[in-house]
Every structure is written in structure tokens, then in C-alpha cells.
């Protein structure tokens, strides 16, 4: 089932009780989030405000789990994405913390290369991501011992080996991907079941949503991240936020 169909169904259908299989996944997710909050004095969830992250937002806020939520406001986001911050405030009474890039670095990049130089090479694209996403993320995570993401293995080839628990080697903190084994169908079934607000761009064929100039709608048969940096090869479609190693490997390295 396509993302557009999933969104249409989510918008037009009454709440649907989760199947026993989904109910089991939800129970496991809730237990995992509770465990993460209990294991870490300070933990944050990085939300892109897309479907998976709205699922986790609901799972955290509707149950009062002690996990803070923030978003990276890159300065190039769609208006629809920014509008989700208001929808979260209206629905849950929660103000998502926003982290912005350093304006001096943005200006320096634009002066040296041009505002949209990221189309010219992977190197310039990654530099733009470093300024607008990675550096703000580093500031967001400076005071925590763990963070949570909405990544799933099914999303793309670059995430096929995703682990539920990892070690973020770049920041030396724990990292959790509680939806790692969830399918797209699972995500949208959850959103329907709990009437969770979703980004309207999903209904227009955007399963993965990033900065406006770097994101397009996907075509039939493409994976969910094909619309991100579509001018690049499939194996470069990450922005540098997710440099991690499996927790088992981290333990082995520490004892080596």
C-alpha cells in the first residue's frame, strides 16, 4: 500500500483497533520507551515531524514518558513541516524545542559556494547538512546520555542493518531506534488507531521529508527515501546525523 493511500485511509477512516500483532508491537514499544527513560537521566528524541516521528511523539507524550522532544529547524523546511509544531502544541500541549543552524556558518557557505551549491557535489551537500543539521544536533544532544530516532530498516538500503540499540560513536552516547523492525503498514496502522496528526506532505507522495529543496515525492516502486537527495546515488543518502555502531560491537571494541 502506498504512502498516499495510507494517508488517505488515515484521514478518512474512523479509529481502528490495533490487530493482535500490532498490539504486541505497541506494548513492546511502550515498554522500550519506559526502559530508555529509566536507564538515562536525560534522553531526547530527535523528531523530523514525519510519520514515524509523530508515532513516537504520541507514544511519548500521551503516556507522559520522560523523554524530551526536539526538532532541527534547518531554515529550509517545508511550511507543512513547520506547521506540525503547532499541531503538536494543540494536540498534546507540548512545545517541541527547535534548534537552528548558526547564521554565520550559513552565510559563509552561501557566500563561498552559493545558497543551493548542494546540487553540485556530494561534498558540498554534506557540508550544507553539517551546517544546518549536524552542528545543531550536536548542540541539542550536548546535555544527554542517550537519544531516540524514528529510523526503520525498511526505509532504505542504507538502514537495512539498523539495530534497535546502538552506540553513537560521534557523541559517545547511547542511541535507540525503537521502530527499527516496524513496517510502513505498522506505522500507518498505529497512526490510524490513535488518530495521530500527520504531515500533509505524506498525502502528496512524500514518505520521507527533509529540507524543501532536497526532497521530492517518490515514484511508484521507489523506496521511501528515494525522494531525498534524488540526484545522488542510493548509497550516499544520509546527512551525517546517524554515525553509529551496534551496541554489541561497541562492547566488543571496549573490551578489545
Amino acid at each position: 500500500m502506498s504512502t498516499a493511500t495510507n494517508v488517505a485511509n488515515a484521514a478518512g477512516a474512523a479509529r481502528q483497533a490495533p490487530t493482535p500483532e500490532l498490539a504486541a508491537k505497541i506494548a513492546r514499544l511502550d515498554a522500550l520507551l519506559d526502559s530508555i527513560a529509566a536507564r538515562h537521566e536525560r534522553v531526547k528524541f530527535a523528531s523530523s515531524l514525519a510519520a514515524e516521528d509523530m508515532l513516537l511523539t504520541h507514544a511519548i507524550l500521551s503516556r507522559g514518558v520522560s523523554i524530551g522532544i526536539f526538532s532541527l529547524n534547518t531554515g529550509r523546511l517545508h511550511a507543512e513541516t513547520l506547521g506540525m509544531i503547532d499541531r503538536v502544541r494543540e494536540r498534546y500541549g507540548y512545545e517541541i524545542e527547535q534548534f537552528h543552524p548558526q547564521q554565520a556558518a550559513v552565510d559563509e557557505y552561501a557566500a563561498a559556494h552559493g545558497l543551493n551549491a548542494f546540487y553540485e557535489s556530494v561534498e558540498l551537500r554534506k557540508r550544507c547538512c553539517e551546517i544546518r543539521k549536524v552542528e545543531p544536533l550536536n548542540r541539542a544532544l550536548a546535555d544527554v546520555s542517550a537519544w531516540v530516532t524514528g529510523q526503520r530498516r525498511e526505509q532504505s538500503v542504507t538502514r537495512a542493518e539498523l539495530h534497535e540499540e546502538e552506540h553513537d560513536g560521534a557523541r559517545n552516547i547511547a542511541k535507540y531506534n525503537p521502530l527499527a523492525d516496524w513496517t510502513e503498514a505498522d506505522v500507518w496502522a498505529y497512526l490510524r488507531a490513535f488518530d495521530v496528526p500527520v504531515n500533509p506532505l505524506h498525502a502528496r507522495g512524500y514518505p520521507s521529508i527533509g529540507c524543501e529543496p532536497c526532497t521530492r515525492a517518490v515514484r511508484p516502486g521507489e523506496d521511501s527515501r528515494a525522494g531525498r537527495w534524488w540526484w545522488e546515488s542510493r548509497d550516499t543518502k544520509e546527512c551525517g546525523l546517524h554515525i553509529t555502531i551496534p551496541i554489541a560491537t561497541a562492547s566488543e571494541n571496549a573490551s578489545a
Side-chain angles (χ1 to χ4, degrees), residues 24 27 65 74 80 89 92 96 111 119 145 147 223:
V65 182
T74 66
E80 292 88 344
R89 183 189 307 113
Y92 303 101
I96 291 178
Y119 292 127
S145 61
W147 65 302
D223 70 47

Side-chain angles (χ1 to χ4, degrees), residues 1-11 13 16 152 154 183-190 192 202 205 207 218-224:
M1 184 179 292
S2 70
T3 299
T5 302
N6 278 323
V7 176
N9 289 346
Q16 301 176 16
R152 295 185 296 108
E154 188 187 66
T183 66
E184 183 183 5
D186 291 335
V187 170
W188 286 95
Y190 182 106
R192 287 193 296 272
H202 290 307
V218 300
R219 303 182 182 98
E222 290 183 323
D223 70 47
S224 64

Side-chain angles (χ1 to χ4, degrees), residues 238-255:
E238 293 291 351
C239 59
L241 297 182
H242 302 294
I243 303 173
T244 54
I245 54 177
I247 197 69
T249 305
S251 300
E252 291 166 6
N253 290 343
S255 61

Side-chain angles (χ1 to χ4, degrees), residues 35-109:
S35 174
I36 293 169
R39 290 168 64 184
H40 300 277
E41 184 175 353
R42 282 187 61 79
V43 55
K44 289 181 180 178
F45 163 48
S47 174
S48 69
L49 305 166
E52 290 84 359
D53 294 346
M54 290 307 300
L55 184 166
L56 288 172
T57 294
H58 180 86
I60 291 167
L61 296 182
S62 67
R63 299 173 51 252
V65 182
S66 185
I67 295 177
I69 304 176
F70 72 91
S71 188
L72 302 177
N73 187 337
T74 66
R76 303 297 300 268
L77 299 179
H78 297 79
E80 292 88 344
T81 299
L82 293 174
M84 295 304 298
I85 293 173
D86 295 331
R87 296 184 69 183
V88 169
R89 183 189 307 113
E90 293 163 3
R91 172 70 178 272
Y92 303 101
Y94 184 89
E95 190 70 40
I96 291 178
E97 188 176 12
Q98 297 183 64
F99 286 83
H100 301 260
Q102 301 283 2
Q103 191 59 48
V106 171
D107 294 342
E108 181 180 350
Y109 177 93

Side-chain angles (χ1 to χ4, degrees), residues 26 37 110 115 135 159 170 186 204:
I26 294 171
L115 184 63
E135 190 278 332
R159 297 180 178 180
D186 291 335
R204 288 154 48 189

Side-chain angles (χ1 to χ4, degrees), residues 134 137-138 141 147 167-173 240-244:
V134 178
L137 179 71
N138 291 341
L141 299 178
W147 65 302
H167 176 72
D168 184 336
R171 302 168 187 90
N172 196 31
I173 60 176
L241 297 182
H242 302 294
I243 303 173
T244 54

